[in-house]
Amino acid sequence: MKFKGFLKDVGGASRVTKARLEAFENASASPVKTDPISECMKAWHPGRIELELKEIIDTCKSAKSFRFVRKDGKELPYFYAGQYVVFDFEIGKCTVSRPYSISSSPSQARGKDGFLEITVRRAKQDAFISEYMLDKAKKGDVFTALVGNGQFFYEPLRDAKHVVALAGGVGITPFVSMAREVAAGKLPIDLTIIYGSEKEDDIVLKEELEKLGGKNVHIVHVLSGDNPGWKGETGFITSEIIKKYSAEDTTYFICGPQVMYRFVEKELKKLDIPQRRIRFEVFGQARDISRYDGFPQERKDKTYKVTVVRGKDKVTIPAKATESLVVAMERAGIRIETGCRSGECGFCRTKLIEGSVFVCPENDGRRAADKDFNYFHACSTYPLSNLTIQIPIL
Amino acid sequence: MKEKTKFYKDHYDVIVIGGALAGLSSALMLADKGKDVLVLERHNLPGGLATSFVRGGLEMEATLHEMMSIGKKDNRLKVGKFLDDMGVDIDWLEVPEAYHASLPGGVEVTLHPGFETFAREIDQAVPGTYEKVLSVLNLCHTVFDSVNYLSIHHMSKVQMLLKHPAFVKTAGYSTKEVLDTFNLPQAALDLLAPYWIYVGSGFSELPFTIYAVLMADYVGYGSFVCKKFSHEMSLKMAERAVEMGVQIEYRQNVEKILVKDGKAYGVRTERRDEIHADYVISGAYPNKVYTQMIEPLSEVPERAIKVVNGRRVSLTAFSVVLTLDRSPEELNIKDYSVFRATKTMDTDAQFKELGTLGPYTYTTTICLNLANPDCTPKGQTSLSITTLPRPEAWKNVKPEDYDRVKHEIARQLIKDISDYLGVNLFDHILEVVIETPMTVARYTGAWNGCIYGYAHTMEDHIIARLQTSEEERLIKHLEFAGAHQISGDGMAPQVTNGRKAAKNVLDSMAEEKEAAK
């Protein structure tokens, strides 16, 4: 063995030990508390913050915009145009969360006067929270919120410079944020928004959109209802309309109701668009889980007993087969963290200890190993028997 | 004041802060010895950095390149054996090669595990070096065996010199000093260098002992990944621990470690649960514990501050994780891991570059499909490009510049690998996730986003760490488990670090029981 230079040197271990102890002796005795990397991180992801409702703006007959500022006077967190904010609502004894796409732009959130806006439309189903916001929320109300969630934003490394946004109904909001950012010269893309609505007076944020139209922002309304005198595009967002406003290399962003997704997906297929050029926003909970393949019809009217384990504590609550376990827990006043409420983000990751469940196949964003160990995302999972489940203590 | 809580027991034997690989290893070992253990993890998943995420319906590996210290089923190394012994049954997949080195001057060499194979392949690239390279590797192996033996057995200095001369005689020297004695041509030395990034110090600083362990383990015994991403390993460890009676609570951020009269007795969480235990094992860095977490701070001895100030935190991470819409073949990808240097393979120069915000000219590219073909749907590729900057390089990045900086670096890395492959990867990106030092800080709370603990240097030598470790246990009943401990960085060493913390607790329990008699 060849390390002849060291044959006589057997003192290495003592030498390095001495060196180390000397380094400690020579070190400063004053505590260094700064961690600049974590500080920078907190400007983007401070965790839950308090937002104060500053202004309520009527945007059309069925929707209002809500403008918030940060209550503690600090700057708002950074986020990307297209991301959503999760609000916690304290209603009665329940804490209920909802995600809302941010309709204001990232640059409008900067500075001391920075604000954040969401737009809420009166919902036909699951109207609990939209009614609360539209009818009860008032200036000065304070909400706990988690800003900057979701993967629905322009990624310059991946996406084409030419972006066509396909929006339906209140699904316009992330694109308003993007359009504002483009119009302010902060997002260097060419954005065309093709926006499907039923009636002209039903168009959410119509005036705002008109103001934003310009050099790099183009707005195309497509109306499906009966609109006498309307000169623009009519019908649904078909492949012909999409093609008309596309460039050779285009990335498509889609946000709207679930029915629109199914339609638009079919239309894009006709145009032979590669998968990497199509970005869907998650669309929320399934409208009617019992209509999915594999859902046992004989159980759809059942209500089960669900034992929720948190640490050493156990509570048993009722849960309907057709209502997600998140809803059952929120209804029973059990706090569970949720984000997207579409099975994607995994905030509501839950362990199934006993019983059987149905996971919405369209909203199954679980890791492979999680499936093996019976974890599920409670926002997109439904009880098919009495259950025992475990969630984090909040 | 103690807030009454229904969620926890009144008392535990041990509270482990952090459910990553080190903490879970501590928990497994303590539970195996019948101890009552509570693990508190800030994230809603186990594993810390050993995790995965789902984007657009695709699961993507967050960090694992390759696990060392596992070994084949019939010849397990210490980490593989520990996991087997604990009943943690992981679906290990062997990585097909050691690495492909793409070095300046058009050097393209693929090296495979096995000392003789490795030496022969270097000899093919740099003729006439077989004997010398093999003797380097044999020296590494001898030192590696000594380290493994001595980490379990106590021995007098004389005995050590007699039985472990190679270990003793190389102890005081850097990797550069030892390698220089072999008079190898630079081209061969360059091919022996790429793994340095897995231990984070250039060869003039890196203790040869660490280099020896690194080379012997990887080259001698190969490396492994998990079939279902590193989340499989983390989750299986966590589930096994629960099966053995450990209580694991996710989403619990520990803010304070409670200390009285120089002895830890519990923790307080962000949601203000105060939980008591005989012992606390901290996954949080000593830097954070001694400056922010000990309550009251007056219980922190001056020595503790000097110890953390006297050490240099090692590297953090920057990684571009891609899912591409072509198969590896279509993208000209032939190797699982490519260590690519475009400017120099001088490890000290490369280390220096990691103190900047780039451009980074030394990268590691991993194509997971080549060890785990099912990690993506057919016709797609999982590719990650990684560099490991020093926290100092990132400390002046302002929040308003963060997004620009991370995109500039990511673009440079993707472009560089596109040039290497002769394929424009930008035309094939299905999903891209950029992981930065800030991402590490966000999900793990690691001090300055550091993934590697303290730097392996001649002033912070592993042998010195072993010699003085007793003197660094400065608060009674408080142990540490994580990359900041003796074995340092890397996923497999976290298992060793976790076991060491558990052993300290068990020894202390036994001593106190003895003393009480």
Side-chain angles (χ1 to χ4, degrees):
Chain A
M1 197 145 303
K2 186 169 180 180
F3 43 99
K4 54 179 179 250
F6 309 127
L7 269 176
K8 290 199 179 85
D9 180 11
V10 294
S14 314
R15 213 163 54 240
V16 294
T17 303
K18 197 165 154 254
R20 187 162 188 268
L21 292 173
E22 273 172 18
F24 294 160
E25 282 316 314
N26 297 333
S28 152
S30 54
V32 180
K33 296 189 178 199
T34 53
D35 172 351
I37 305 245
S38 296
E39 288 311 309
C40 176
M41 180 275 292
K42 281 178 198 151
W44 281 76
H45 304 287
R48 282 186 153 67
I49 56 171
E50 291 198 316
L51 295 180
E52 187 183 330
L53 180 52
K54 206 74 186 168
E55 215 180 319
I56 303 174
I57 308 151
D58 286 321
T59 56
C60 73
K61 66 168 188 185
S62 60
K64 287 177 184 173
S65 288
F66 298 84
R67 182 173 287 194
F68 299 89
V69 296
R70 192 163 170 171
K71 189 170 179 265
D72 60 13
K74 290 184 191 164
E75 251 196 297
L76 282 159
Y78 289 77
F79 64 92
Y80 295 111
Q83 285 192 306
Y84 63 85
V85 52
V86 180
F87 281 102
D88 295 339
F89 300 93
E90 309 286 339
I91 299 174
K93 60 168 185 143
C94 309
T95 302
V96 180
S97 306
R98 284 289 183 278
Y100 286 99
S101 292
I102 302 167
S103 52
S104 56
S105 71
S107 41
Q108 285 174 318
R110 306 295 4 118
K112 264 180 58 191
D113 303 322
F115 62 87
L116 192 138
E117 223 168 82
I118 62 167
T119 305
V120 180
R121 191 187 205 184
R122 197 167 294 278
K124 294 185 186 94
Q125 277 181 301
D126 189 25
F128 182 39
I129 295 295
S130 72
E131 270 169 21
Y132 177 84
M133 284 304 287
L134 292 168
D135 304 333
K136 299 217 173 79
K138 56 183 189 307
K139 268 194 221 180
D141 284 0
V142 174
F143 298 84
T144 305
L146 189 67
V147 179
N149 307 279
Q151 308 304 322
F152 193 67
F153 51 86
Y154 179 79
E155 168 48 67
L157 299 172
R158 178 194 62 205
D159 300 326
K161 285 266 178 215
H162 192 93
V163 172
V164 169
L166 306 174
V170 79
I172 190 67
T173 48
F175 302 129
V176 176
S177 177
M178 287 186 200
R180 283 173 164 153
E181 201 71 345
V182 174
K186 304 275 185 184
L187 183 59
I189 59 171
D190 191 80
L191 176 66
T192 302
I193 300 174
I194 305 179
Y195 184 15
S197 304
E198 196 187 336
K199 304 235 173 185
E200 195 177 351
D201 64 357
D202 214 25
I203 299 175
V204 179
L205 295 163
K206 184 164 187 279
E207 278 173 38
E208 182 62 37
L209 285 166
E210 268 158 27
K211 274 187 270 171
L212 291 169
K215 198 166 143 259
N216 295 315
V217 179
H218 319 279
I219 315 287
V220 180
H221 291 290
V222 184
L223 298 184
S224 63
D226 186 21
N227 292 279
W230 175 253
K231 293 193 180 65
E233 303 281 1
T234 58
F236 292 111
I237 302 176
T238 59
S239 57
E240 288 77 28
I241 293 179
I242 295 169
K243 197 172 176 195
K244 192 166 149 188
Y245 297 98
S246 296
E248 197 186 333
D249 189 16
T250 301
T251 290
Y252 300 87
F253 282 80
I254 298 116
C255 186
Q258 204 175 342
V259 283
M260 177 201 155
Y261 278 42
R262 300 219 171 98
F263 184 82
V264 165
E265 205 172 5
K266 231 169 49 230
E267 296 301 304
L268 286 169
K269 213 164 223 161
K270 291 182 196 163
L271 297 175
D272 219 12
I273 310 291
Q275 190 189 344
R276 71 193 167 89
R277 289 292 183 236
I278 304 174
R279 314 290 312 168
F280 284 100
E281 175 59 308
V282 294
F283 49 70
Q285 302 188 59
R287 285 260 174 264
D288 181 359
I289 195 65
S290 71
R291 288 166 69 175
Y292 281 81
D293 279 352
F295 189 94
Q297 293 305 312
E298 70 280 7
R299 297 191 206 180
K300 75 175 186 187
D301 298 319
K302 294 253 160 73
T303 297
Y304 296 108
K305 280 184 190 150
V306 176
T307 301
V308 182
V309 177
R310 288 171 299 173
K312 294 287 144 198
D313 189 52
K314 279 181 192 174
V315 198
T316 300
I317 62 167
K320 291 183 201 162
T322 50
E323 238 173 29
S324 81
L325 285 158
V326 150
V327 172
M329 284 187 267
E330 286 178 337
R331 201 188 289 289
I334 295 174
R335 284 214 58 184
I336 176 155
E337 183 166 31
T338 71
C340 67
R341 296 178 86 93
S342 309
E344 185 197 63
C345 74
F347 284 13
C348 59
R349 181 176 179 268
T350 299
K351 166 97 175 162
L352 176 67
I353 295 172
E354 210 182 333
S356 68
V357 294
F358 183 78
V359 176
C360 177
E362 266 177 323
N363 282 348
D364 190 358
R366 291 179 293 167
R367 294 164 178 83
D370 273 358
K371 289 182 192 171
D372 292 347
F373 282 90
N374 293 324
Y375 281 84
F376 58 80
H377 297 170
C379 68
S380 54
T381 304
Y382 302 78
L384 293 179
S385 72
N386 291 339
L387 305 177
T388 303
I389 63 176
Q390 186 175 15
I391 62 168
I393 306 159
L394 285 188
Chain B
M1 277 288 101
K2 183 173 164 74
E3 306 253 329
K4 210 169 159 53
T5 170
K6 58 188 173 182
F7 299 116
Y8 300 98
K9 296 180 190 171
D10 287 337
H11 188 89
Y12 295 86
D13 291 332
V14 186
I15 292 172
V16 178
I17 304 170
L21 299 184
L24 291 174
S25 300
S26 299
L28 283 166
M29 185 164 156
L30 290 164
D32 189 51
K33 294 281 183 276
K35 303 303 170 198
D36 192 7
V37 183
L38 170 67
V39 177
L40 298 168
E41 164 58 42
R42 70 206 298 274
H43 197 21
N44 74 339
L45 297 166
L49 293 169
T51 194
S52 66
F53 45 81
V54 177
R55 287 284 184 281
L58 301 170
E59 187 163 354
M60 296 164 81
E61 172 62 43
T63 62
L64 176 60
H65 284 186
E66 41 188 332
M67 283 285 284
M68 68 194 301
S69 309
I70 300 300
K72 292 183 206 288
K73 200 161 187 111
D74 53 359
N75 187 22
R76 285 283 198 239
L77 300 192
K78 62 181 176 185
V79 172
K81 186 170 185 313
F82 172 74
L83 293 172
D84 285 354
D85 289 350
M86 289 295 123
V88 180
D89 181 18
I90 292 164
D91 200 350
W92 294 114
L93 303 173
E94 197 170 359
V95 170
E97 75 266 335
Y99 49 81
H100 178 90
S102 172
L103 307 182
V107 176
E108 300 292 340
V109 179
T110 305
L111 301 170
H112 294 84
F115 297 124
E116 281 160 21
T117 309
F118 196 86
R120 203 175 313 114
E121 285 169 339
I122 290 184
D123 184 69
Q124 276 159 19
V126 191
T129 56
Y130 177 79
E131 293 296 330
K132 283 184 182 174
V133 169
L134 191 61
S135 60
V136 170
L137 295 173
N138 284 336
L139 173 61
C140 290
H141 201 194
T142 309
V143 171
F144 170 73
D145 283 343
S146 298
V147 168
N148 284 333
Y149 187 85
L150 294 169
S151 65
I152 311 169
H153 301 89
H154 284 286
M155 204 179 254
S156 75
K157 277 184 181 169
V158 179
Q159 281 289 319
M160 216 186 277
L161 180 58
L162 287 172
K163 298 246 172 76
H164 302 276
F167 168 80
V168 171
K169 288 173 182 175
T170 55
Y173 295 92
S174 69
T175 303
K176 182 174 171 16
E177 287 168 319
V178 176
L179 289 180
D180 279 352
T181 65
F182 287 86
N183 296 316
L184 273 160
Q186 192 56 44
L189 285 172
D190 285 351
L191 289 171
L192 286 165
Y195 273 146
W196 82 269
I197 196 70
Y198 285 172
V199 286
S201 293
F203 282 174
S204 68
E205 284 197 307
L206 183 70
F208 178 75
T209 317
I210 294 293
Y211 177 79
V213 169
L214 172 80
M215 292 300 280
D217 197 308
Y218 274 117
V219 176
Y221 302 90
S223 64
F224 295 81
V225 294
C226 320
K227 173 105 178 148
K228 292 183 176 169
F229 309 90
S230 53
H231 180 59
E232 176 191 338
M233 168 170 57
S234 305
L235 186 59
K236 283 181 171 170
M237 288 172 75
E239 292 294 313
R240 180 68 187 128
V242 169
E243 210 172 79
M244 288 162 79
V246 174
Q247 184 182 347
I248 302 183
E249 296 301 336
Y250 297 104
R251 277 266 183 266
Q252 304 308 318
N253 190 26
V254 173
E255 288 188 334
K256 298 292 174 191
I257 296 170
L258 309 172
V259 179
K260 199 176 172 194
D261 303 329
K263 188 162 133 184
Y265 67 93
V267 301
R268 192 164 60 241
T269 65
E270 194 178 338
R271 73 180 294 285
R272 304 198 63 75
D273 287 315
E274 185 176 314
I275 315 161
H276 291 178
D278 289 335
Y279 290 81
V280 174
I281 295 178
S282 168
Y285 272 67
N287 305 59
K288 191 169 177 177
V289 168
Y290 291 137
T291 63
Q292 290 163 35
M293 291 174 73
I294 297 287
E295 183 161 287
L297 278 176
S298 58
E299 288 281 355
V300 177
E302 187 186 271
R303 177 77 180 168
I305 302 296
K306 285 174 87 86
V307 167
V308 294
N309 287 347
R311 308 182 76 179
R312 184 179 88 209
V313 290
S314 188
L315 307 179
T316 173
F318 187 97
S319 213
V320 185
V321 186
L322 299 159
T323 304
L324 302 158
D325 70 353
R326 291 285 185 278
S327 69
E329 285 144 23
E330 290 169 308
L331 298 170
N332 291 338
I333 300 169
K334 296 180 187 72
D335 303 287
Y336 177 83
S337 60
V338 175
F339 289 86
R340 173 166 160 84
T342 52
K343 207 160 117 193
T344 172
M345 196 54 236
D346 179 333
T347 58
D348 294 316
Q350 289 171 342
F351 178 79
K352 206 170 158 198
E353 187 180 280
L354 299 178
T356 72
L357 288 172
Y360 297 115
T361 68
Y362 184 52
T363 57
T364 309
T365 302
I366 301 286
C367 176
L368 198 50
N369 302 67
L370 294 181
N372 185 5
D374 301 330
C375 71
T376 63
K378 228 176 156 44
Q380 297 180 4
T381 296
S382 157
L383 195 76
S384 67
I385 312 165
T386 301
T387 180
L388 302 181
R390 296 179 59 189
E392 288 84 340
W394 282 75
K395 72 176 182 199
N396 295 321
V397 174
K398 301 264 176 300
E400 59 268 33
D401 298 325
Y402 170 67
D403 183 60
R404 179 182 55 77
V405 170
K406 84 171 186 184
H407 273 93
E408 276 172 11
I409 296 171
R411 189 175 292 278
Q412 180 240 314
L413 297 181
I414 299 172
K415 186 178 179 305
D416 177 61
I417 298 306
S418 294
D419 292 347
Y420 169 68
L421 296 171
V423 174
N424 187 0
L425 296 178
F426 291 102
D427 290 342
H428 298 290
I429 301 176
L430 270 173
E431 295 294 338
V432 52
V433 172
I434 308 170
E435 300 165 351
T436 71
M438 284 68 175
T439 316
V440 176
R442 180 182 177 194
Y443 288 104
T444 70
W447 185 253
N448 276 295
C450 181
I451 65 167
Y452 270 12
Y454 300 106
H456 286 296
T457 64
M458 296 307 290
E459 288 72 43
D460 196 353
H461 197 297
I462 182 149
I463 294 172
R465 291 180 187 183
L466 283 161
Q467 301 271 345
T468 63
S469 64
E470 284 306 308
E471 297 162 43
E472 281 152 50
R473 294 168 70 189
L474 294 163
I475 292 177
K476 276 184 260 167
H477 291 204
L478 172 62
E479 300 292 338
F480 289 88
H484 36 73
Q485 293 311 293
I486 293 174
S487 296
D489 66 274
M491 285 196 193
Q494 293 336 303
V495 174
T496 308
N497 283 328
R499 291 171 68 187
K500 173 72 176 155
K503 184 175 184 298
N504 284 351
V505 167
L506 293 167
D507 288 351
S508 165
M509 283 174 171
E511 277 162 28
E512 289 183 10
K513 201 172 163 190
E514 193 61 33
K517 271 184 192 169

